[in-house]
Amino acid sequence: MSFSPLLKQLIEAFRVLPGVGPKSAQRMAFYLLERDREGGQRLAHLLTQAIKQVGQCEHCRILCEKPVCAICDNKNRDRSLLCVVQGPAHVAAIEQTGGYPGLYFVLQGHLSPIDGRGPKEIGIDAFVRRISTNTVKEVVLATNSTVEGEATAYYIADLVKSHNIKVTRIAHGVPMGGELEYIDGGTLAKALLDRTLV
Amino acid sequence: MSFSPLLKQLIEAFRVLPGVGPKSAQRMAFYLLERDREGGQRLAHLLTQAIKQVGQCEHCRILCEKPVCAICDNKNRDRSLLCVVQGPAHVAAIEQTGGYPGLYFVLQGHLSPIDGRGPKEIGIDAFVRRISTNTVKEVVLATNSTVEGEATAYYIADLVKSHNIKVTRIAHGVPMGGELEYIDGGTLAKALLDRTLV
């Protein structure tokens, strides 16, 4: 290839980003160097800062540069309700609905024994400490509806029950606005099974 | 949203990258902070370095941290052949074929008067200086086959002809391995028109 050594290294470095292959990495490097050096400089600066400063909230384990995040620090939130999610992006998704009054616990992904990700790796020990404080009255499981997410939910449900705490799972069914003919059979079967009284 | 201020800024900063929307930016920020801080640090460092050091080759205007790039500096390349491309990625694409022995001139994109990108903005003045040195015997136009790329090629062709230099355009036609039934009509018509003796 005909790129200068520094350019080659920069393109290679962009490939650490998720979903970025050789062509996208090249495009990103060229774009920043040709069109937006200021934006690139800002990105490099904020990335360095965030890597240095951003840690995990000591209560919910969300990414945060302060010891305790804004949600856990908010005195108006319902401390008896604890929602378990697989990652910080899921907290953002739920917060955007504006309909959840409680707190969160953020797992480091899902259980995946085959990749060496057991309960300890995803942060179950911290979760157990959290629910042992007697403030939590209900745990809402909001892990993904994938096989791995469901398995993780089952595992946590058992754990929570053994602490005599109520445990619920977010509802599965037809998405709002969804047309029945385009919904997969598994979802439709689940929607029929979990039908609610009107 | 529930992200901490620094995290919000970092996600926003990722959006300068081409093709990166709010969700991808969020994913990139989380991925680097949760899974690969080392890779993120390396990216930030190389980006800062490249922004500081990478400029343009003074002959061909490719991105390069030295005054003259490796291609222009290579004494074995045919100095009478000058290939005009729209960006550094196109140089890489042509170099990968291994079949081009000459030098390059890299434009800053294509002519686009509507966006205020005239001949001066894409570097035509430097190109004219380049072909005025009497070493170039043939200019190969390898701009994109888009409307803008073709318009840019026509503009440059006129310019080169006025300097009494031979000017050629890369061939357009059916891609190698392409099946005729899937080729668009415009390409097929061009392929028929430009048929070559066998």
Side-chain angles (χ1 to χ4, degrees), chain A residues 25-101:
Chain A
Q26 198 178 293
R27 194 165 148 234
M28 287 172 172
F30 288 149
Y31 177 85
L32 290 185
L33 290 173
E34 288 191 309
R35 307 272 171 94
D36 195 358
R37 291 200 178 211
E38 208 176 299
Q41 190 55 74
R42 192 175 149 74
L43 172 61
H45 171 71
L46 283 167
L47 190 51
T48 307
Q49 263 207 314
I51 286 170
K52 267 190 213 138
Q53 295 174 21
V54 171
Q56 289 176 335
C57 166
E58 55 192 41
H59 295 317
C60 72
R61 300 206 144 199
I62 200 173
L63 288 172
C64 179
E65 66 264 29
K66 285 192 280 186
V68 177
C69 76
I71 298 174
C72 290
D73 210 30
N74 183 343
K75 298 288 173 246
N76 295 322
R77 312 262 328 193
D78 182 350
R79 263 139 227 289
S80 69
L81 209 54
L82 188 70
C83 180
V84 179
V85 293
Q86 283 179 222
H90 301 183
V91 172
I94 295 177
E95 281 299 288
Q96 253 181 333
T97 69
Y100 177 70

Side-chain angles (χ1 to χ4, degrees), chain A residues 140-153:
Chain A
V140 183
L141 299 173
T143 53
N144 283 339
S145 290
T146 56
V147 175
E148 297 87 355
E150 292 291 348
T152 308

Side-chain angles (χ1 to χ4, degrees), chain B residues 13-150:
Chain B
F14 267 113
R15 295 200 50 196
V16 300
L17 296 174
V20 174
K23 290 273 169 182
S24 308
Q26 198 177 293
R27 196 166 146 233
M28 287 172 171
F30 287 149
Y31 177 84
L32 290 185
L33 290 173
E34 288 191 308
R35 307 271 171 93
D36 195 357
R37 292 201 175 210
E38 209 177 298
Q41 189 56 74
R42 192 175 150 75
L43 172 60
H45 171 70
L46 283 167
L47 190 51
T48 307
Q49 262 208 314
I51 285 170
K52 266 189 212 139
Q53 296 174 20
V54 172
Q56 288 175 336
C57 167
E58 57 192 41
H59 295 315
C60 72
R61 299 208 145 198
I62 200 173
L63 289 171
C64 178
E65 65 264 28
K66 285 192 281 187
V68 177
C69 76
I71 297 174
C72 290
D73 209 29
N74 184 345
K75 298 287 172 249
N76 295 323
R77 311 255 339 187
D78 182 352
R79 262 138 229 288
S80 69
L81 209 54
L82 188 70
C83 179
V84 179
V85 293
Q86 283 178 224
H90 301 183
V91 173
I94 295 176
E95 281 299 288
Q96 252 179 336
T97 69
Y100 177 71
L103 300 183
Y104 295 92
F105 187 86
V106 182
L107 299 173
Q108 315 299 300
H110 52 70
L111 286 175
S112 181
I114 214 165
D115 306 317
R117 298 185 68 77
K120 202 173 155 232
E121 281 70 27
I122 68 167
I124 295 294
D125 43 355
F127 173 71
V128 171
R129 282 197 300 276
R130 182 71 191 273
I131 59 171
S132 305
T133 55
N134 281 327
T135 50
V136 178
K137 304 290 174 227
E138 179 181 344
V139 171
V140 184
L141 299 173
T143 53
N144 283 339
S145 291
T146 57
V147 175
E148 297 86 355
E150 291 292 347

Side-chain angles (χ1 to χ4, degrees), chain A:
Chain A
M1 289 293 281
S2 56
F3 300 129
S4 67
L6 184 54
L7 214 49
K8 253 185 231 169
Q9 286 174 41
L10 177 62
I11 292 169
E12 202 50 46
F14 267 114
R15 295 200 50 197
V16 300
L17 296 174
V20 174
K23 290 272 170 185
S24 308
Q26 198 178 293
R27 194 165 148 234
M28 287 172 172
F30 288 149
Y31 177 85
L32 290 185
L33 290 173
E34 288 191 309
R35 307 272 171 94
D36 195 358
R37 291 200 178 211
E38 208 176 299
Q41 190 55 74
R42 192 175 149 74
L43 172 61
H45 171 71
L46 283 167
L47 190 51
T48 307
Q49 263 207 314
I51 286 170
K52 267 190 213 138
Q53 295 174 21
V54 171
Q56 289 176 335
C57 166
E58 55 192 41
H59 295 317
C60 72
R61 300 206 144 199
I62 200 173
L63 288 172
C64 179
E65 66 264 29
K66 285 192 280 186
V68 177
C69 76
I71 298 174
C72 290
D73 210 30
N74 183 343
K75 298 288 173 246
N76 295 322
R77 312 262 328 193
D78 182 350
R79 263 139 227 289
S80 69
L81 209 54
L82 188 70
C83 180
V84 179
V85 293
Q86 283 179 222
H90 301 183
V91 172
I94 295 177
E95 281 299 288
Q96 253 181 333
T97 69
Y100 177 70
L103 300 182
Y104 294 91
F105 188 87
V106 182
L107 300 173
Q108 316 297 302
H110 53 69
L111 286 175
S112 180
I114 214 164
D115 305 317
R117 299 186 66 76
K120 204 178 154 226
E121 281 71 28
I122 68 168
I124 295 292
D125 43 355
F127 173 71
V128 171
R129 283 197 298 277
R130 181 72 190 273
I131 59 170
S132 304
T133 55
N134 281 326
T135 50
V136 179
K137 304 291 176 224
E138 180 181 344
V139 171
V140 183
L141 299 173
T143 53
N144 283 339
S145 290
T146 56
V147 175
E148 297 87 355
E150 292 291 348
T152 308
Y154 274 115
Y155 179 86
I156 298 174
D158 276 349
L159 205 69
V160 177
K161 280 180 205 158
S162 74
H163 282 74
N164 287 317
I165 297 172
K166 184 178 166 188
V167 53
T168 55
R169 180 88 171 105
I170 51 167
H172 293 126
V174 179
M176 298 299 284
E179 294 187 45
L180 286 207
E181 68 229 76
Y182 300 119
I183 306 294
D184 68 290
T187 301
L188 204 49
K190 181 80 176 148
L192 285 165
L193 199 69
D194 290 356
R195 63 192 181 277
T196 54
L197 258 176
V198 289

